[in-house]
């Protein structure tokens, strides 16, 4: 059961990233970006539900690996606007070195 909990929690990360980048990755809800983001949320809900059934949510602090994975998932969900600002920034090329080579 713990394997499935970790599997679903970790699986949320790539599906969220691919969904937000609108990459055509197959998820439970198809190839769309919105479908992958939704599948990411479903994965977290499944992981937390399985964890609650197996251990109880009160013991979450005793399972720090899962807390770490969920923290990474939450940081992507919350911090995505900052990530996109960084990714959409134009690359700065060193034009002076390009001129020197010509």
């Amino acid at each position: 059961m713990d394997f499935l909990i970790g599997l679903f929690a970790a699986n949320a990360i790539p599906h969220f990233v691919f969904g937000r980048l609108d990459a055509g990755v197959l998820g439970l809800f198809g190839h769309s970006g919105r479908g992958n983001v939704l599948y990411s949320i479903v994965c977290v809900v499944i992981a937390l539900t399985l964890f609650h059934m197996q251990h109880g949510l009160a013991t979450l602090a005793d399972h720090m690996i899962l807390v770490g994975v969920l923290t990474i998932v939450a940081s992507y969900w919350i911090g995505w606007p900052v990530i996109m600002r960084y990714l959409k920034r134009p690359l700065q090329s060193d034009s002076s070195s390009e001129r020197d080579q010509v």
Side-chain angles (χ1 to χ4, degrees):
M1 183 68 78
D2 287 339
F3 174 78
L4 291 175
I5 294 167
L7 179 83
F8 281 108
N11 196 34
I13 299 168
H15 282 283
F16 179 78
V17 171
F18 290 139
R20 291 304 302 252
L21 293 175
D22 207 22
V25 177
L26 182 61
L28 183 64
F29 303 110
H31 292 279
S32 71
R34 184 173 287 166
N36 274 287
V37 170
L38 181 60
Y39 183 53
S40 170
I41 295 167
V42 168
C43 284
V44 170
V45 169
I46 290 172
L48 288 174
T49 301
L50 291 174
F51 182 84
H52 177 65
M53 290 170 44
Q54 182 74 16
H55 303 286
L57 289 178
T59 65
L60 189 61
D62 297 333
H63 298 85
M64 292 310 287
I65 291 175
L66 180 61
V67 171
V69 170
L70 293 175
T71 301
I72 291 170
V73 170
S75 69
Y76 273 107
W77 287 354
I78 295 167
W80 191 256
V82 174
I83 293 169
M84 285 309 295
R85 251 194 320 257
Y86 175 76
L87 289 177
K88 289 186 177 184
R89 216 179 333 163
L91 295 176
Q92 297 176 356
S93 64
D94 187 6
S95 58
S96 62
S97 65
E98 289 174 7
R99 279 185 258 143
D100 294 341
Q101 293 176 355
V102 176

